[in-house]
């Protein structure tokens, strides 16, 4: 029998949301708390046990402002996506919050850029692409769960990768390092978060064969 407190574990897993408007921009994030969360994330799996995670943590106000300026150049892309989602209120709300974040990213106390100390070759086969990004994203999610357990929130974002080279130049990231995401990190305003709306699990599962009779199309 497992000795985990399932109520707590399930609440952590089901209420770790993309936090944007409830990030507390006025409260500093202590470096040791972030290091604890990254230490926990190092238990995540990596292909062939490569462990090529690297984390660039930006808390310098000027660099955050400059990074925020680059990120804000993605606002037209968010507005465009928002128009495409005009018919879907849930997705429109997501873009509304994404826009809010893009207008203030540089004010978030900590910007974390999870990286990999390797590059995906152009035209890499699926197995290599999956093994490469699959060796950083589990750690990123562990990091986000650890943050939530300590009263901090974050959002997984990739918008800045539209401007990968500019961010590389700003922060001195070497050419053989891959940026995988950018996470704004801050304490949250309030600690209560609700599970997001998701379809019934049966509608996304198939047993044994994709085309088994009776399974959802
Ligand atoms: C691969 C990926 C890319 C994402 N990129 C962005 C982004 O650029 N900007 C942003 O604000 N949110 C971004 N998100 C966050 C999603 O919008 C969010 O996870 C989704 O809407 C679900 O929200 P929830 O976790 O609160 O339910 C991204 C998430 C993933 C997994």
């Amino acid at each position: 029998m497992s000795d985990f407190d399932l109520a707590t574990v399930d609440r952590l897993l089901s209420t770790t949301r993309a936090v944007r408007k409830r990030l507390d921009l006025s409260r500093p994030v202590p470096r040791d708390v972030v290091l604890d969360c990254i230490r926990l994330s190092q238990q995540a799996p990596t292909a062939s046990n490569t462990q090529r995670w690297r984390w660039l943590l930006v808390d310098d106000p000027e660099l955050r402002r400059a990074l925020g300026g680059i990120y804000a150049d993605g606002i037209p892309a968010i507005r465009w996506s928002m128009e495409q989602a005009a018919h879907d209120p849930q997705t429109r709300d997501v873009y509304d919050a994404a826009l809010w974040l893009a207008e203030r990213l540089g004010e978030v106390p900590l910007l974390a850029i999870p990286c990999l100390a390797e590059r995906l070759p152009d035209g890499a086969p699926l197995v290599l692409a999956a093994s490469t990004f699959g060796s950083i994203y589990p750690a990123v999610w562990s990091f986000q769960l650890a943050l939530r357990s300590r009263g901090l929130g974050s959002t997984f974002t990739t918008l800045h990768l539209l401007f990968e080279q500019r961010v590389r130049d700003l922060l001195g990231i070497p050419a053989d390092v891959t940026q995988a995401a950018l996470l704004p990190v801050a304490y949250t305003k309030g600690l209560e978060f609700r599970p997001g709306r998701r379809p019934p699990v049966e509608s996304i599962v198939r047993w044994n064969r994709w085309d088994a009779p009776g399974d959802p199309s």
Side-chain angles (χ1 to χ4, degrees), residues 16-18 20 71 94 98 101 155-159 196 198:
T16 302
R17 305 250 65 77
R20 303 180 186 89
Y71 192 92
V94 169
L101 176 68
T155 296
F156 187 108
T157 82
T158 49
L159 188 69
R198 300 290 188 260

Side-chain angles (χ1 to χ4, degrees), residues 8-122:
T8 302
V9 174
D10 290 2
R11 189 164 74 87
L12 179 67
L13 290 171
S14 61
T15 65
T16 302
R17 305 250 65 77
V19 184
R20 303 180 186 89
K21 293 183 181 177
R22 286 177 61 189
L23 294 173
D24 187 343
L25 304 184
S26 65
R27 188 170 164 196
V29 172
R31 287 186 169 187
D32 57 337
V33 175
V34 180
L35 291 183
D36 281 345
C37 294
I38 292 179
R39 196 172 291 115
L40 286 163
S41 83
Q42 288 178 274
Q43 299 302 323
T46 54
S48 305
N49 197 28
T50 40
Q51 304 187 25
R52 293 200 185 109
W53 330 275
R54 300 289 184 273
W55 292 80
L56 183 54
L57 304 171
V58 182
D59 62 1
D60 174 82
E62 264 180 44
L63 285 175
R64 281 189 285 130
R65 232 183 333 270
L67 197 46
I70 296 173
Y71 192 92
D73 284 344
I75 287 177
I78 299 176
R79 287 195 197 285
W80 183 86
S81 305
M82 211 163 171
E83 281 164 26
Q84 309 307 304
H87 55 282
D88 172 4
Q90 189 188 8
T91 307
R92 225 177 34 233
D93 287 351
V94 169
Y95 286 123
D96 179 61
L99 198 55
W100 186 96
L101 176 68
E103 286 165 349
R104 292 165 185 79
L105 190 90
E107 298 170 43
V108 180
L110 181 84
L111 302 175
I113 304 182
C115 298
L116 277 165
E118 64 185 306
R119 291 293 290 185
L120 190 62
D122 287 341

